[in-house]
Amino acid sequence: MKDLLFEYDMQLDFAPPVEEHRFTLKCIPQTDERQLINRLDVEVYPKEFLSADKDSFGNHSIYGYTKGKHDRFFARVRGQARTGLAPFLPAKPEHQVGLFKYQTDYTRPGPAILKFAERFEGAMAECQKDHAKNILFDDSAALNVEDDGFRSHLPEAALAITMMHGLYENFSYVQGVTDVNTTAEQAMALGRGVCQDYSHILLSLCRLAWIPCRYVVGMLIGEGLSHAWVEVYSGGRWYALDPTNNLIVDDAHIKISAGRDYHDCIVSQGVFVGRTTQTQTVAVRVREGGEI
């Protein structure tokens, strides 16, 4: 368990200025069984009209509109998070688990991922066999970090960890070779990428095994930008894995949002009037204790 201070800054610069700007922001962490968010401060500029709600995946969202001309737009979220409160999230009935079993445009496998998945064929078959037995999972099922995995009666989570280890050993972290539009298949063919690519590839592999899984955006100690990881569904619960760092998500992570893939978790989306060039800058700071 850790007490973490966080600050998330996102800025858009427009040249020349724009107007009639409508936007959606998803950059606010929320309290759940794993983390407690307090001392939260949210600043948006310009902010002529603002409202807040949750999207269909339960993510906190800010909706806004600015009519007048402006050459700069920014959002700043600051607060404190107590993390590592629980090793899992219970699956809530209003969020349809089955939806997360299906591939998306980002995760749909091609030759490179299918070839890589061959090394897990036996484990996938066993996992699907166990799943078909309709096993009842008791409430004592929990994460056991010391034995580097989940308890043996959580076959989906155990397989996801095995695939995460394999991905980490055969994929390289390299910045600048992919972008936000790169698919899991494209990244796998390259053999290198960033946290978004690791996460999309692991999602693709899990969905090949018919394991519900979702893409997560958040913050991590030591990162200067936002971070991405994966949650897998097993035994009525969501367990979080960080394939970029080859570890089970711990108290160094702060979750912001979750969805089927990157597209569901875009931090800033919007439309505006004006022919312009826009530049986005993101800065994330997470540290233990102290004052904001």
Side-chain angles (χ1 to χ4, degrees):
M1 186 183 301
K2 284 185 171 68
D3 286 317
L4 303 178
L5 298 175
F6 63 86
E7 184 171 339
Y8 190 107
D9 291 324
M10 188 283 299
Q11 181 167 312
L12 292 173
D13 292 292
F14 303 103
V18 300
E19 57 187 336
E20 302 283 349
H21 186 182
R22 292 171 171 82
F23 56 86
T24 300
L25 298 172
K26 296 181 185 179
C27 52
I28 303 176
Q30 56 191 301
T31 294
D32 58 28
E33 287 79 2
R34 285 203 196 105
Q35 63 186 27
L36 172 65
I37 306 298
N38 53 49
R39 295 171 56 190
L40 186 66
D41 178 61
V42 181
E43 182 181 1
V44 179
Y45 172 85
K47 57 172 185 178
E48 293 179 31
F49 304 97
L50 286 181
S51 64
D53 203 348
K54 289 187 176 182
D55 68 10
S56 58
F57 300 104
N59 303 313
H60 285 310
S61 302
I62 297 174
Y63 305 97
Y65 170 66
T66 296
K67 182 177 177 62
K69 287 189 175 182
H70 55 285
D71 60 7
R72 181 168 58 100
F73 172 81
F74 76 79
R76 171 176 294 166
V77 180
R78 297 188 295 173
Q80 184 183 62
R82 176 161 289 182
T83 57
L85 301 181
F88 58 81
L89 280 174
K92 298 181 179 180
E94 64 267 27
H95 300 151
Q96 298 178 7
V97 172
L99 175 69
F100 298 102
K101 290 195 298 186
Y102 299 98
Q103 304 285 7
T104 68
D105 288 342
Y106 271 105
T107 69
R108 190 166 292 112
I113 288 180
L114 293 174
K115 178 66 176 177
F116 183 71
E118 289 177 0
R119 67 188 65 197
F120 307 113
E121 281 184 349
M124 284 182 177
E126 286 300 314
C127 177
Q128 291 168 343
K129 187 186 302 181
D130 288 339
H131 184 73
K133 292 177 183 176
N134 194 25
I135 298 172
L136 295 177
F137 299 96
D138 62 65
D139 289 338
S140 65
L143 184 63
N144 186 341
V145 178
E146 292 182 358
D147 67 6
D148 190 35
F150 297 91
R151 302 208 178 178
S152 59
H153 59 293
L154 295 175
E156 298 91 350
L159 173 57
I161 288 180
T162 298
M163 294 190 293
M164 177 180 71
H165 292 335
L167 175 61
Y168 184 79
E169 292 170 358
N170 292 274
F171 196 79
S172 299
Y173 185 91
V174 179
Q175 294 181 334
V177 297
T178 59
D179 59 32
V180 295
N181 298 309
T182 302
T183 67
E185 173 64 20
Q186 290 168 337
M188 190 78 251
L190 282 173
R192 55 194 187 276
V194 294
C195 60
Q196 174 181 311
D197 305 305
Y198 279 88
S199 298
H200 278 151
I201 293 170
L202 184 57
L203 291 175
S204 182
L205 292 169
C206 286
R207 289 169 182 168
L208 279 173
W210 216 233
I211 300 172
C213 51
R214 56 193 187 189
Y215 185 93
V216 179
V217 168
M219 297 174 278
L220 175 64
I221 292 177
E223 290 280 311
L225 299 171
S226 57
H227 190 51
W229 60 89
V230 170
E231 289 178 342
V232 297
Y233 177 81
S234 191
R237 297 159 176 172
W238 293 103
Y239 294 91
L241 305 177
D242 182 347
T244 308
N245 295 300
N246 196 31
L247 54 78
I248 296 160
V249 166
D250 55 20
D251 53 9
H253 295 69
I254 301 174
K255 178 180 175 179
I256 294 177
S257 62
R260 293 163 297 181
D261 56 29
Y262 164 80
H263 188 268
D264 291 333
C265 303
I266 296 175
V267 171
S268 175
Q269 297 186 80
V271 294
F272 48 76
V273 175
R275 292 186 176 182
T276 189
T277 299
Q278 60 176 317
T279 303
Q280 184 182 60
T281 305
V282 176
V284 177
R285 291 169 287 277
V286 181
R287 58 188 173 90
E288 289 191 67
E291 296 296 326
I292 296 175

